[in-house]
Amino acid sequence: MAKDFDLMENSNRSANPTIYDVSDPARRIFVRGALASATAALFGGGLLAGCASTGSSKAAALGRDIGFASVPMRDVDDVLVPPGYTARVICRWGDPVGIAGKMPAFKPDGSNSAEEQAVQLGMHHDGMAYFPLDGSRRGLLAINHEYTDDGLLHPDGMKTWTADKVRKAQAAHGVSIVEVEATPNGWRQVLPSKYARRITAATPMLISGPAAGHTWMKTAADPTGTRVLGTLNNCANGYTPWGTYLTCEENFINYFHGPDNPDEHGKRWGLKKGGAGYRWHEFDERFDATKHPNEPNRFGWVVEIDPMDPSMTPIKRTALGRAAHEGATVALTDDGRAVVYMGEDARFEYIYKFVSRDRVKPGGFAANRDLLDHGTLYVAKFNADGTGEWLPLVHDRGPLTAANGFANQGAVLIKARQASDLLGATKMDRPEWTAVDPISKEVYCTLTNNSNRGRDKSPGVDAANPRANNTMGHIIRWKESGDLDATRFTWSHFVLAGDPSLPRAEAKGNIRGDIFGSPDGLWVDPRGVLWIQTDVSTSTLGKGDYVNLPNNQMLACDPTKGEIRRFLVGPRGCEVTGITMTPDLRTMFINIQHPGESPSERSDPDEPMKFSRWPDGGRPRSATVVITKNDGGVIGL
Ligand code: FEO
Ligand code: CA
Ligand code: CA
């Protein structure tokens, strides 16, 4: 999500070539061999039950090189992929999600009602996962909708403001479950589908785990502290070996109207008067934290959804801690316990790891319904000598005592930021997605950027975050000392992003190839290919350190070889996010979010169209894009 609503859009649309822009067919990235199944290595094979990447991927030709030609960076209002590939839009904001009898057409002037929006795909697609119904030919996509640009959402943007507009904005948040299938004419959305579902900011949900029922979770509408309406700002995601989808609540605090002078807890979580301008509190009182001070505590969680069951009540899993959650990447220990890696995307926030108490059982969600309610949450400390420690967020351990404001485990989890502060965790440069290499078990995390590092009273550089005014971001990598539940690790910088032709970019980590900055989306596919997606703010694209990067992009890398090669360039003003593949690795789905992002997007419906009319020539629409190879081959080879 763009952070700089009030900054000027760049006007530099030049397509300056860079030293890396000449595609060299001799550059080949070797893909590691010996991989039998998409998730066997990551999830332990036999435990799988309809999970996102289940199934044999023998088609992932073993030991071959990545073979695509680098896509030159260009300032275009389109999706560019390598020669021999095709990218097609499959489902956009406002398309019917596919509920039988409730499939209203999208109205290009933004005049769909709140009720119609509640059965159409939401706005601003983000994290996403494919759940097979028929292997690699038919499946479900669970798609996050991070936030709304109300300028685009309504016919006259925010020039007027009504209760109906608030209800429509809430209906455009959350998650969509859509069914997709391969046909002789390419992939299409299945309409209608018995699986089709919208989960919005008004959908009833359960709260589970140690913070459920806590005093700080109780409100006038929910005196039990165990039930809540909706999920917000669903950014990145995860998927579990037992077949469920995890959606993560990122910048939830932006929706809440706070007092002039918030208390210490409110300040630590960024509560402020007016929030970030969503204006929901004007017509929906629960978003007025001056009247309902506990309501914000009920957001900032990882939410579990069974995509196969449209009647399932989503569950907020408090054992995983409260944060401005970016994503939740699940892997397994050797004995089958779930490990969840999570970044908190805010300046100087932390990286977390949850280790489940129990082993994953065969039998899908029914057999693992409580698995994410019991376990230990840790926060990362990166030492200067290349070692690191996982510090437990456990009540009465170390400083996390009642005397310090943590009377029980629920308090530790609700105030996870304050607990991590006390433990001395390392303040990172905006941790975004995490990814676990299924083969090497190395873990990666994107640190997208942090221009405040070293500025004024902000923290200065440290070993893990080595650049002051870190405009370009970096990717950190660690290896647990033993199994994934270890409490110690060793770490290194995988890459400090930047353009080597500019003075600020240092070569580090033996990485070479196409330039990028502000890494965000991150996934290691079952072969061990690391996919990197970028989210450079539109106020920055094409300027300064980004002078050669007018648009956002996606790149691929074999970490054992170190070359990073550009696979995709996105339309103007978008970020590239969300990535998943069918088990045979012959189809990739990615999301294009907020094409045409502009300085006035929150209020003016016409402004974004000056920058982008992707994909249909009218109001720009976030959309899922399906990518296939024209010869039907495996993506990337
Ligand atoms: Fe929603 Fe941190 O990106
Ligand atoms: Ca993101
Ligand atoms: Ca981002």
Side-chain angles (χ1 to χ4, degrees):
M1 174 183 181
K3 308 294 178 188
D4 303 321
F5 286 118
D6 52 346
L7 296 181
M8 286 300 294
E9 163 70 292
N10 85 84
S11 56
N12 183 344
R13 296 293 178 187
S14 70
N16 301 337
T18 80
I19 59 169
Y20 290 102
D21 274 350
V22 181
S23 177
D24 175 3
R27 294 189 308 170
R28 300 177 71 79
I29 306 174
F30 184 72
V31 181
R32 286 162 289 170
L35 94 61
S37 156
T39 45
L42 181 56
F43 284 143
L47 294 167
L48 300 167
C51 114
S53 301
T54 303
S56 170
S57 59
K58 292 195 179 79
L62 305 183
R64 284 178 55 192
D65 295 349
I66 287 183
F68 66 84
S70 172
V71 177
M73 174 54 69
R74 283 174 42 206
D75 180 12
V76 291
D77 196 28
D78 201 356
V79 174
L80 303 180
V81 289
Y85 286 82
T86 297
R88 288 180 48 230
V89 170
I90 189 164
C91 41
R92 317 153 188 81
W93 156 55
D95 286 344
V97 75
I99 299 167
K102 297 180 183 175
M103 296 195 291
F106 175 70
K107 294 180 178 169
D109 65 351
S111 63
N112 284 112
S113 68
E115 288 69 28
E116 289 170 333
Q117 176 63 78
V119 292
Q120 297 169 324
L121 275 91
M123 196 174 237
H124 289 352
H125 304 27
D126 208 317
M128 169 173 59
Y130 176 87
F131 295 84
L133 291 169
D134 179 14
S136 297
R137 304 300 297 168
R138 189 167 66 89
L140 302 179
L141 289 176
I143 304 170
N144 284 356
H145 303 291
E146 189 180 23
Y147 69 106
T148 50
D149 284 333
D150 290 276
L152 293 172
L153 190 64
H154 316 289
D156 67 344
M158 291 179 109
K159 288 173 184 166
T160 61
W161 196 237
T162 65
D164 279 346
K165 286 186 171 180
V166 171
R167 288 196 303 117
K168 184 175 181 185
Q170 293 176 344
H173 279 70
V175 177
S176 292
I177 310 290
V178 299
E179 183 177 344
V180 291
E181 69 173 359
T183 75
N185 298 317
W187 283 81
R188 70 172 189 111
Q189 191 185 347
V190 177
L191 294 169
S193 163
K194 66 178 182 180
Y195 299 100
R197 183 177 190 186
R198 276 305 319 285
I199 291 160
T200 74
T203 301
M205 305 198 170
L206 294 172
I207 300 169
S208 74
H214 194 280
T215 309
W216 300 340
M217 299 290 271
K218 295 176 179 174
T219 63
D222 173 29
T224 71
T226 60
R227 305 191 72 89
V228 60
L229 293 179
T231 185
L232 292 176
N233 214 255
N234 302 84
C235 189
N237 66 312
Y239 50 87
T240 69
W242 53 94
T244 58
Y245 183 68
L246 303 178
T247 186
C248 302
E249 301 180 333
E250 192 191 18
N251 295 306
F252 64 90
I253 205 71
N254 288 346
Y255 298 79
F256 289 94
H257 167 66
D260 288 333
N261 291 302
D263 62 14
E264 284 304 310
H265 179 55
K267 272 189 206 147
R268 185 64 186 84
W269 288 84
L271 182 65
K272 64 182 183 188
K273 192 174 181 178
Y278 286 97
R279 298 179 64 185
W280 290 7
H281 65 283
E282 294 176 26
F283 293 99
D284 187 346
E285 191 185 283
R286 76 184 171 111
F287 291 95
D288 184 344
T290 69
K291 294 180 176 150
H292 302 284
N294 283 346
E295 191 68 18
N297 293 336
R298 293 143 63 81
F299 293 86
W301 304 104
V302 174
V303 185
E304 185 169 15
I305 297 166
D306 180 356
M308 300 293 170
D309 178 6
S311 68
M312 180 259 187
T313 303
I315 304 170
K316 299 200 177 189
R317 300 293 188 188
T318 65
L320 276 61
R322 182 162 168 260
H325 273 296
E326 180 73 26
T329 304
V330 184
L332 285 179
T333 61
D334 291 341
D335 67 357
R337 284 167 294 143
V339 177
V340 189
Y341 290 99
M342 299 168 281
E344 174 161 30
D345 179 15
R347 294 184 179 109
F348 307 110
E349 296 300 341
Y350 304 117
I351 295 173
Y352 293 92
K353 169 169 98 170
F354 172 83
V355 181
S356 72
R357 183 190 66 188
D358 302 324
R359 297 178 188 184
V360 179
K361 300 182 188 76
F365 179 54
N368 296 283
R369 197 183 159 83
D370 300 325
L371 195 101
L372 294 179
D373 286 341
H374 305 285
T376 306
L377 181 67
Y378 301 89
V379 65
K381 182 179 182 187
F382 293 81
N383 299 320
D385 64 358
T387 66
E389 303 161 58
W390 289 108
L391 310 171
L393 281 88
V394 175
H395 169 61
D396 253 351
R397 183 109 49 108
L400 305 182
T401 60
N404 284 328
F406 302 98
N408 45 46
Q409 184 62 15
V412 172
L413 296 167
I414 294 166
K415 294 187 173 179
R417 282 186 177 177
Q418 294 96 318
S420 300
D421 294 344
L422 262 183
L423 290 170
T426 302
K427 299 177 187 302
M428 308 300 288
D429 286 344
R430 294 185 54 198
E432 298 249 28
W433 291 45
T434 54
V436 182
D437 186 318
I439 302 161
S440 71
K441 298 290 180 86
E442 288 167 309
V443 190
Y444 295 79
C445 181
T446 44
L447 297 156
T448 196
N449 58 59
N450 184 355
S451 54
N452 284 5
R453 174 73 66 182
R455 178 183 289 180
D456 302 327
K457 293 176 182 169
S458 295
V461 300
D462 60 31
N465 303 278
R467 293 199 287 205
N469 183 23
N470 182 10
T471 57
M472 303 292 283
H474 54 294
I475 300 175
I476 202 162
R477 171 169 66 172
W478 64 89
K479 183 90 186 269
E480 305 286 5
S481 302
D483 202 353
L484 294 180
D485 64 339
T487 55
R488 294 186 175 273
F489 57 90
T490 55
W491 66 269
S492 61
H493 289 118
F494 179 63
V495 61
L496 299 186
D499 183 342
S501 71
L502 300 174
R504 283 177 46 78
E506 309 157 55
K508 203 161 189 173
N510 197 28
I511 296 296
R512 64 198 184 283
D514 292 321
I515 61 166
F516 70 98
S518 296
D520 188 344
L522 193 70
W523 186 53
V524 186
D525 78 21
R527 296 163 292 183
V529 175
L530 179 69
W531 297 91
I532 304 166
Q533 300 171 315
T534 74
D535 176 19
V536 186
S537 159
T538 42
S539 64
T540 309
L541 280 168
K543 295 189 289 203
D545 291 337
Y546 288 92
V547 66
N548 295 319
L549 296 174
N551 288 29
N552 274 301
Q553 60 179 309
M554 181 170 79
L555 313 98
C557 174
D558 174 0
T560 65
K561 299 292 175 182
E563 186 201 344
I564 295 174
R565 195 182 298 187
R566 186 176 298 119
F567 181 78
L568 180 149
V569 174
R572 289 183 179 138
C574 82
E575 74 175 81
V576 182
T577 185
I579 176 167
T580 189
M581 293 171 87
T582 51
D584 65 3
L585 307 183
R586 293 171 191 270
T587 302
M588 172 183 278
F589 300 92
I590 62 107
N591 281 324
I592 296 297
Q593 189 192 90
H594 65 65
E597 183 185 64
S598 74
S600 317
E601 61 187 346
R602 298 299 296 279
S603 56
D604 183 348
D606 300 323
E607 189 73 12
M609 283 195 285
K610 295 177 187 167
F611 299 95
S612 174
R613 291 172 176 260
W614 187 88
D616 302 321
R619 292 187 179 202
R621 299 165 74 183
S622 295
T624 300
V625 172
V626 55
I627 299 167
T628 50
K629 204 170 177 185
N630 298 345
D631 65 5
V634 170
I635 302 285
L637 294 179

